[in-house]
Structure formats: C-alpha cells, structure tokens
C-alpha cells in the first residue's frame, strides 16, 4: 500500500500487549508530526488500516458519514463477515437515515435536563461507595468505586433490580475480554451462538441479550417510570425498536454506560494521585470542578479509537484513500495533539479551552451518554472533596490488555484521612 514511510514501519499502535504496559504516546506523536494519515499494516490479524492521528482530521471524518461510514463494516479494527456484522449491529454501526431514526427513538432519555434528574441517585451511590473505601482504610479503587459506581447508576436509571448489578458488572468485564485477543470459552453463560455473531465476540453478549429480553418483556407487561420502559415503549412516527435493535441497544447501554465511565474514574483518580498539586488546586477552588471533569475525560480517553470505512475513493491531506479502506480515528492521539491542546502531557484541572474528542469528533454518533458520564465524574469529585478524602497510591496500577479501552484493572490506594 502506498505512502508507508520506511522509518515509521517500526511503529505499532495496534497490538493489545503494548497497551497492557502503556499507551504508546511517543508513537502517536511521531505519526502526528510525520505521517498524520499513515498506512498501518495489520496483516497478521486482519487487513491493515489508515491511522488518523490529528485532532482536525478526526473531527472532519466524524462529521462526514456520507464518505466515512459506520454501517458498511465493523467500527472496531477487526473485520467481520457480513452475517456477523448484521447480527451484531447496534446504533454504533448505522449511518443516516437509519441512525437518525434510532437516535430519535432513544435520545430523550439522555438530554442534560433528563440527566439532571439522576443526580440525587448518583450522589447517594457515590457517597456510599466512598464511605465503604474509607471504612476499609483503602483497597483497590477500581473494585471499590470505579466499577460499581457507573453500573449502579445505569442499573438504577434503567430500572434493573439492584441485586442484579453485580451480574451486570461481571458481564461487562467479559465484554472487554473480547477485545484482548485472548481466546474465550464460547459456552460460558450457556451460550450456543458462534462467538463471531456476538458483540465483542463475547458469550457475555448472549447473557446480556437474554437478560435484556426478559426484563424488557416484564416492562412491556407492567410499565414503570424507568429507562427500560421508555426503550420498550419508544415510538417515533409509529415505529418502535425491533427486537434485535432493542437487545443491541440494551447491551450497548450496559457496556457504554459502564466500562467507559469506570475507566474515566480510575484514570482520573490515578492522574490526581500523580499530580497532587492539581488535586490541591481543586480542593482550594471548587469552581474548577467542571474544567477538571473535562481534563479527566481528555486525559483518560477511555475509548481509544473508533473506525470508519470509506464509501468512495477520496483523500485526506492529499493521501489517496480507496473505497473500502479502513479509516481509524485515534482519539487517544487527537486528545494529545499539540496543535489544538497546548502542553498536552500536562494534566491541568483548569484547562480552557479543552476541545477533547473523548466522546467522538462531534459528528452524528457523538456519545449519547456524555452528560451522564460528566454527571458521575462531577458528583464523585464533589463527594471526594466534601468528605475531605485523602488517598495515597499503595502500589502500581495494572492496565487492561486492550487497544480499544484505556482501562485500569486495579488501582491500589490507601486512605490517608477522610470523614
Ligand atoms: C467517559 C465515558 C464515555 C466515553 C469515553 C464514551 C465514548 C463514546 C464515543 C467515543 C462514542 C462515539 C462512537 C462513534 O463515533 O462511532 C460514543 C457513543 C455512544 N455512547 Fe458513549 N461514552 C461514555 C459514556 C457513555 C454512557 C454513560 C452512555 C450511556 C449510558 C453511553 C452511550 C453511548 C451510546 C448509546 C453511543 C452511540 C451513539 C450513536 O451511535 O449515535 N456512553 N461513546
């Protein structure tokens, strides 16, 4: 393939094992500077891809679904057969006008006004989890707070019984393992569907579909004031979600509302521990909380990329892109692009402006749950400061083996003081 620069051929930004150690920031910086539209071979796993690493290009591609499609192929690196793609298709893998219809069916539940209604429940959950950590004198912050907070919030909003929250966390963990390259046992959770037909190639998707279908049927029979009822009753122009649309949407809510926000929380606390001056700045001036939330989102970049597929021959920065080529927007590079975000490797809780692409590059697929994620981060920071909770690192964090989610498996902390 044309345009590969020999001196960049050593760069690998796709191997999950690299991310288990660290995000390859130096490789991304070289690509941004020397080859912002770079052909990356990936012949051992699937065909290669165009690595898009500059902020400006990520935004332009996100806003042009007529050229760069989410529906033509998978939105992750790995290719799928057409039947696999069809079986796994969610709102993420649609283009307008299908996307517009789906989005209209569900967007009412995620407006800033609607999300504000979830603040009290979020605060209760965050406060209780932090109290638990304080009572234990510390522990693994991921297990104690980052993992249970978002899943309990989404479970509460959806209207899922709280005794099933643990099961939802477990299933979400299994979904991430589907992106690790490590083979999974296909029969887990009684699954009989070939893994290639399941989202994230994980048997946990089967379990989520089953659970979602069961609880959706319950709400159809007995509606309540919750998001599940809204989903099963959602109607625009006489249309409802079909069964596969509903199942895939349920599954994506549990994953998207959970794993991503968990990562933002873990990476955010990790960054504050690594930058104690910034934490003190925040404690001294609560007015900085909104900018601190945005900086945590930039720094954490919980989803490191999404992919599009070119629908026609085109070019980006003069580099020819052929119809059918994979075009991968590396948000984790765009969020550290010096051209838009000065001094990007500095964690600055007062950073303004902060045009991060953590929720996507502002196109039609811009994260539906962005306001909910922001609410959870804000409330957690407020509670942490109100409780005057002071944490210390108690060991090195372990990273998730994935080139897709920038997750921490563990974050050991000690409670130095806290009420
Ligand atoms: C910090 C947390 C989060 C991050 C980093 C994140 C990231 C993203 C990104 C990058 C996209 C764009 C996908 C694309 O362009 O193809 C997206 C879409 C989406 N997100 Fe999030 N997300 C987060 C939290 C949430 C939450 C809390 C929910 C719901 C409860 C959610 C639900 C969704 C949905 C449904 C979509 C698909 C929207 C569409 O295709 O129109 N996300 N998210």
């Amino acid at each position: 393939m044309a345009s590969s620069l020999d001196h960049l051929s050593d760069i690998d930004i796709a191997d999950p094992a690299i991310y288990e150690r660290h995000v390859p920031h130096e490789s991304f910086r070289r690509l941004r500077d020397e080859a912002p539209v770079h052909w990356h071979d990936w012949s051992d796993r699937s065909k290669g891809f165009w690595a898009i690493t500059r902020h400006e290009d990520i935004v332009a591609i996100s806003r042009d679904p007529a050229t760069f499609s989410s529906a033509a192929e998978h939105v992750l690196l790995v290719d799928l057969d057409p039947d696999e793609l069809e079986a796994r298709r969610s709102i993420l893998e649609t283009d307008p006008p299908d996307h517009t219809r789906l989005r209209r069916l569900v967007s009412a539940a995620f407006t800033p006004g609607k999300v504000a209604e979830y603040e009290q429940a979020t605060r209760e959950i965050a406060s209780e989890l932090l109290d638990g950590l304080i009572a234990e004198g510390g522990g693994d912050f991921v297990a104690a707070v980052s993992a249970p907070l978002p899943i309990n919030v989404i479970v509460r909003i959806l209207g899922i019984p709280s005794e099933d929250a643990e099961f939802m966390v477990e299933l979400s963990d299994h979904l991430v393992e589907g992106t690790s390259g490590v083979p999974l046992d296909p029969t887990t959770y009684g699954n009989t569907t070939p893994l290639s037909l399941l989202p994230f190639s994980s048997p946990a998707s089967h379990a989520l579909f089953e659970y979602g279908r069961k609880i959706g049927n319950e709400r159809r029979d007995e509606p309540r004031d919750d998001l599940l009822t809204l989903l099963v009753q959602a109607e625009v122009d006489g249309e409802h979600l079909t069964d596969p649309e509903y199942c895939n949407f349920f599954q994506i809510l549990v994953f998207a509302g959970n794993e991503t926000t968990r990562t933002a929380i873990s990476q955010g606390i990790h960054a504050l521990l690594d930058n104690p001056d910034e934490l003190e700045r925040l404690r001294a001036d609560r007015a900085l909380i909104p900018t601190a939330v945005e900086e945590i989102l930039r720094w954490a970049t919980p989803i490191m990329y999404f992919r599009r597929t070119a629908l026609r021959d085109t070019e980006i920065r003069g580099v020819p892109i052929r119809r059918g080529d994979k075009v991968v927007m590396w948000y984790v590079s765009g969020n550290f692009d010096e051209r838009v975000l000065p001094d990007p490797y500095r964690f600055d809780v007062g950073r303004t402006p902060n045009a991060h692409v953590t929720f996507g590059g502002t196109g039609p697929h811009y994260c539906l749950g962005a306001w909910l994620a922001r609410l959870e981060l804000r409330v957690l920071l407020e509670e942490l400061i109100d409780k005057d909770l002071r944490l210390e690192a108690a060991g090195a964090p372990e990273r998730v083996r994935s080139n897709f989610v920038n997750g921490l498996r563990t974050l050991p902390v000690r409670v130095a003081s806290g009420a």
Side-chain angles (χ1 to χ4, degrees):
M1 178 68 60
S3 134
S4 193
L5 304 177
D6 279 351
H7 68 288
L8 292 174
S9 60
D10 61 314
I11 284 190
D12 186 350
I13 52 168
D15 182 357
I18 296 174
Y19 293 85
E20 199 170 16
R21 299 192 296 276
H22 60 92
V23 173
H25 278 301
E26 181 52 22
S27 299
F28 283 119
R29 192 194 57 72
R30 282 177 65 200
L31 290 177
R32 285 195 301 276
D33 286 351
E34 298 172 42
V37 184
H38 173 68
W39 180 258
H40 192 301
D41 282 324
W42 203 38
S43 43
D44 53 331
R45 298 278 302 279
S46 186
K47 81 176 175 174
F49 59 90
W50 292 105
I52 307 299
T53 45
R54 281 206 196 158
H55 185 285
E56 185 187 353
D57 298 335
I58 292 170
V59 171
I61 291 166
S62 301
R63 290 180 178 170
D64 185 4
T67 309
F68 300 106
S69 166
S70 294
E73 297 277 352
H74 201 198
V75 290
L76 300 190
L77 276 172
V78 74
D79 286 317
L80 296 177
D81 291 339
D83 58 332
E84 296 169 353
L85 187 64
E86 222 29 68
R88 294 161 65 148
R89 194 181 294 284
S90 75
I91 186 171
L92 280 171
E93 292 94 5
T94 55
D95 287 335
D98 293 344
H99 174 261
T100 320
R101 169 187 159 269
L102 270 179
R103 183 111 181 177
R104 277 166 63 208
L105 278 167
V106 293
S107 58
F110 295 94
T111 58
K114 189 72 194 166
V115 165
E117 291 176 20
Y118 310 141
E119 175 157 350
Q120 192 46 37
T122 304
R123 194 170 296 285
E124 283 164 22
I125 296 166
S127 173
E128 198 177 306
L129 293 170
L130 289 177
D131 287 347
L133 184 77
I134 294 168
E136 294 291 320
D140 174 14
F141 196 86
V142 177
V145 182
S146 319
L149 176 62
I151 192 66
N152 279 294
V153 168
I154 195 74
V155 157
R156 187 88 71 96
I157 295 173
L158 278 164
I160 290 174
S162 55
E163 60 270 22
D164 294 339
E166 276 302 307
F167 184 47
M168 295 293 120
V169 174
E170 181 189 317
L171 295 181
S172 176
D173 285 349
H174 274 264
L175 291 186
V176 182
E177 280 174 28
T179 69
S180 69
V182 175
L184 303 178
D185 175 359
T187 62
T188 319
Y189 303 114
N191 175 51
T192 51
T193 309
L195 289 189
S196 59
L197 296 183
L198 291 171
F200 301 96
S201 306
S202 170
S205 294
H206 159 80
L208 271 173
F209 287 171
E210 294 271 287
Y211 184 90
R213 202 173 272 129
K214 177 180 89 68
I215 197 142
N217 285 337
E218 284 173 23
R219 290 300 182 279
R220 232 172 252 119
D221 295 343
E222 269 181 61
R224 292 194 197 166
D225 180 20
D226 59 25
L227 178 54
L228 272 169
T229 306
L230 199 145
L231 288 183
V232 294
Q233 292 185 340
E235 186 180 330
V236 172
D237 299 336
E239 282 195 75
H240 293 88
L241 294 175
T242 63
D243 176 68
E245 282 171 353
Y246 165 80
C247 286
N248 278 312
F249 200 78
F250 178 79
Q251 183 264 346
I252 213 168
L253 280 184
V254 170
F255 177 79
N258 176 15
E259 183 57 37
T260 50
T261 316
R262 169 202 309 204
T263 295
I265 294 170
S266 303
Q267 295 283 16
I269 295 296
H270 183 35
L272 290 168
L273 289 176
D274 268 357
N275 295 276
D277 293 351
E278 291 300 299
L279 180 53
E280 281 319 307
R281 228 179 124 196
L282 196 58
R283 284 188 198 284
D285 182 3
R286 289 172 66 106
L288 288 172
I289 289 178
T291 48
V293 165
E294 297 307 315
E295 182 67 341
I296 286 173
L297 287 164
R298 180 185 77 88
W299 194 259
T301 320
I303 300 284
M304 291 188 283
Y305 76 84
F306 264 119
R307 162 195 166 182
R308 301 292 187 257
T309 303
L311 288 181
R312 58 179 173 83
D313 291 353
T314 180
E315 58 176 53
I316 308 172
R317 289 192 184 278
V319 177
I321 308 287
R322 285 214 302 263
R323 179 166 178 257
D325 280 355
K326 294 183 198 180
V327 178
V328 179
M329 303 173 288
W330 288 94
Y331 305 133
V332 73
S333 174
N335 275 346
F336 292 82
D337 186 346
E338 312 62 8
R339 292 152 194 83
V340 178
L341 294 142
D343 203 1
Y345 302 103
R346 174 162 178 250
F347 179 74
D348 172 4
V349 293
R351 185 182 288 276
T352 342
N354 187 347
H356 63 73
V357 284
T358 292
F359 294 124
T362 71
H365 288 277
Y366 185 82
C367 177
L368 193 61
W371 289 105
L372 183 57
R374 289 185 166 113
L375 170 79
E376 291 180 43
L377 283 168
R378 171 172 64 77
V379 165
L380 184 71
L381 290 180
E382 286 169 359
E383 289 297 308
L384 198 103
I385 293 172
D386 284 351
K387 290 179 192 293
D388 199 21
L389 174 55
R390 287 170 195 269
L391 299 171
E392 289 168 357
E398 282 175 279
R399 293 180 50 82
V400 171
R401 182 192 165 96
S402 170
N403 58 19
F404 177 57
V405 294
N406 188 19
L408 293 185
R409 201 180 284 286
T410 59
L411 178 63
V413 295
R414 237 184 329 268
V415 173
S417 64

